[in-house]
Amino acid sequence: MRETITRRSFVAGAAAAAATSLAVPRHAAAADKPALLGGTPAHKGGWVAWPQWDASWEPGILDVFRSRHWCSAGASGKVGEFEKAYAQLHGAKGCVATASGTTALITSLYVAGVDAGDEVITSPYTFNATYNAVLMQKALPVFADTDPATLTMDPDSIESRITDRTRAILPVHIYGLPCDMDRINAIAKKHNLAVVEDACQAWLGEYKGRKCGTLGDLGCFSFQESKHIPAGEGGAITGMSIELLDRCRSFINCGRATGTFKGSGCFTRGSNFRMKTYQAALLFAQVEKLVRETEVRRANADYLIAGLKQIPGIHPVRWPENSRPVWHLFPFRYDAAEFHGLPHGKFIRALQAEGIPCGGGYSEQYFDGMFDEAIASRGFQRLFSPERLKAYRQSFQDLKGNRQVCQTTVTMYQSMLLAERSAMDDIITAVQKIHAHSAELAKA
């Protein structure tokens, strides 16, 4: 049976196992016995711990607490400072800081006009916050299929999902892998749909010279503890339209009239999704660190891909031409047929035994009961016909590409890509060992 490991449980396990940022020199050769069969692990050191703390950040954050200005109503102070820096970092016209990536998504979908009874086309291969943000609008998250080569939304599967209720497309740059945004935007323009990017794992991801989060109408980011620029929680919305961003700022600030958006008076519909000032101070302190570490991850990922793709049955992901991923998780596809039928879950256990923390990525979460609960609720029963809800539930069976991805993907956590180059050699060696002895492992 395939082992299902959620992203956050995998991140927690990897963080608990991390004892040091130093990698040990490689000692094992490809033909050595795998650790699962009693051999020596390929990697015997620790991995980079995450999140990280720098004592040099302390004075600035203490100043925020001592100021007694911890609320961020309005775009000023530390929150405004971070918003300006983050917008500049991504080449966006502006940025609105939020309480979380989830609240960024909820806000953006609301501003994009998604309302009760609407439908939003999105990716099934993502953390469930993407789905929940749609469900919170009392709208249906309708799934395009996943392209197994890219792990992102397959543009060829979008138009067949569009109905007269479709209001928006919500592509997900999963693991920091940019989606094929030209094709997605072309479909959206043809059908007069809004595009909200879920870039919650794609800080500084690039698509054809532009940053993720500036490619649709609005882009959403997360600064949760596992993320490349963490603050425990926190989020942001970026975009190229000041008018849309002002509407977002109004919504997260209890509906207060803001900038170009005056609403229906002093207040309009909204909520309190504001970022705290001390979160902004912590994030601002990490901006240059994010830029520096993104290049380290990219260099190590390139090195890993060059080594792993030489091993039969290991298939690195593909991304759009002239684009650059940022690797929140480093994934590859595993073909058991090239490993003498060694099951996916057992391959993962063998790799873990080599001292390489890894997991299976996302599962087919639409079968976990969440959507059954939603469409059985009184609200959804009122908004959608029984025929539509039945067809919607049956449509999950059509996601063959996503099923393949869920059954064959192997992932490693982003902080592993911050280790020394010798640790990347250890990862390659570990997979080579497993491949060389896969027949024995499959029988064990």
Side-chain angles (χ1 to χ4, degrees):
M1 180 179 294
R2 176 181 175 271
E3 292 185 347
T4 299
I5 303 175
T6 66
R7 177 181 62 84
R8 294 199 179 187
S9 64
F10 166 53
V11 166
T20 176
S21 64
L22 298 177
V24 297
R26 181 172 57 145
H27 297 296
D32 286 351
K33 184 185 295 187
L36 206 60
L37 296 177
T40 302
H43 184 81
K44 293 182 288 188
W47 296 93
V48 176
W50 200 267
Q52 298 172 328
W53 177 252
D54 190 321
S56 67
W57 303 338
E58 293 177 10
I61 293 171
L62 282 173
D63 285 346
V64 172
F65 282 111
R66 288 168 177 159
S67 74
R68 294 177 294 141
H69 295 295
W70 305 334
C71 173
S72 61
S76 60
K78 290 296 180 182
V79 172
E81 187 178 43
F82 171 69
E83 288 176 336
K84 181 178 179 181
Y86 199 73
Q88 289 177 343
L89 193 64
H90 288 80
K93 288 289 182 67
C95 169
V96 178
T98 64
S100 65
T102 303
T103 55
L105 287 165
I106 292 170
T107 300
S108 296
L109 290 170
Y110 173 83
V111 168
V114 176
D115 208 343
D118 286 339
E119 298 181 2
V120 175
I121 296 177
T122 190
S123 170
Y125 195 71
T126 181
F127 183 60
N128 66 23
T130 307
Y131 318 146
N132 268 326
V134 178
L135 293 171
M136 288 292 287
Q137 309 299 125
K138 288 295 187 290
L140 275 183
V142 176
F143 297 123
D145 206 359
T146 304
D147 180 349
T150 66
L151 309 190
T152 58
M153 179 185 287
D154 183 354
D156 288 339
S157 69
I158 294 175
E159 286 199 271
S160 64
R161 270 79 171 175
I162 295 174
T163 72
D164 60 353
R165 292 199 180 197
T166 306
R167 182 67 186 86
I169 303 176
L170 179 57
V172 183
H173 304 299
I174 200 65
Y175 302 155
L177 297 161
C179 296
D180 189 344
M181 291 302 298
D182 282 352
R183 293 184 64 195
I184 292 170
N185 283 333
I187 294 168
K189 183 178 181 180
K190 176 182 176 182
H191 295 275
N192 194 30
L193 304 175
V195 176
V196 175
E197 298 172 75
D198 183 338
C200 287
Q201 298 180 8
W203 331 257
L204 296 180
E206 295 179 18
Y207 177 81
K208 299 185 177 181
R210 293 174 60 186
K211 297 291 194 299
C212 294
T214 68
L215 303 164
D217 294 293
L218 294 166
C220 303
F221 295 88
S222 170
F223 308 124
Q224 186 267 345
E225 192 165 287
S226 71
K227 305 305 171 62
H228 292 193
I229 177 169
E233 295 292 349
I237 302 167
T238 56
M240 305 303 287
S241 165
I242 294 298
E243 290 77 13
L244 287 178
L245 290 167
D246 281 347
R247 290 186 64 193
C248 290
R249 191 177 303 283
S250 171
F251 185 83
I252 66 137
N253 194 24
C254 303
R256 289 179 171 87
T258 302
T260 61
F261 181 67
K262 302 305 179 184
S264 55
C266 293
F267 285 91
T268 186
R269 286 182 293 170
S271 189
N272 182 351
F273 289 161
R274 298 187 297 252
M275 177 180 283
K276 307 296 186 293
T277 54
Y278 41 85
Q279 289 175 305
L282 177 56
L283 290 166
F284 184 77
Q286 297 179 77
V287 168
E288 291 305 317
K289 179 176 181 287
L290 171 66
V291 174
R292 182 175 64 254
E293 290 179 341
T294 295
E295 293 310 311
V296 175
R297 290 187 189 93
R298 282 174 168 158
N300 275 332
D302 288 346
Y303 185 84
L304 266 181
I305 288 170
L308 290 173
K309 71 180 182 181
Q310 304 303 320
I311 304 170
I314 301 299
H315 304 289
V317 295
R318 175 172 55 80
W319 53 89
E321 186 178 3
N322 299 324
S323 301
R324 303 178 75 195
V326 290
W327 308 112
H328 181 51
L329 294 186
F330 177 86
F332 59 83
R333 297 266 318 291
Y334 168 74
D335 183 357
E338 296 285 353
F339 283 73
H340 293 92
L342 180 68
H344 178 250
K346 197 165 186 179
F347 172 85
I348 289 172
R349 291 198 299 275
L351 196 54
Q352 291 170 339
E354 297 296 335
I356 314 299
C358 61
Y362 296 105
S363 64
E364 293 186 88
Q365 299 169 98
Y366 34 78
F367 292 135
D368 290 348
M370 173 179 172
F371 293 99
D372 293 319
E373 176 188 347
I375 64 180
S377 69
R378 185 172 66 253
F380 278 87
Q381 293 284 325
R382 286 173 173 171
L383 290 165
F384 297 93
S385 70
E387 293 77 18
R388 177 63 184 119
L389 293 178
K390 180 180 180 181
Y392 174 69
R393 182 65 175 78
Q394 290 175 339
S395 71
F396 301 160
Q397 301 291 342
D398 299 332
L399 302 173
K400 296 178 181 178
N402 192 63
R403 181 168 303 118
Q404 184 181 353
V405 165
C406 292
Q407 292 174 349
T408 61
T409 301
V410 178
T411 59
M412 291 178 282
Y413 185 47
Q414 55 93 0
S415 64
M416 295 170 67
L417 295 177
L418 298 177
E420 295 179 0
R421 184 56 56 84
S422 60
M424 304 304 105
D425 287 326
D426 292 342
I427 294 171
I428 296 167
T429 295
V431 179
Q432 289 173 331
K433 287 169 62 178
I434 295 167
H435 183 267
H437 294 270
S438 56
E440 301 164 66
L441 286 164
K443 295 176 183 176

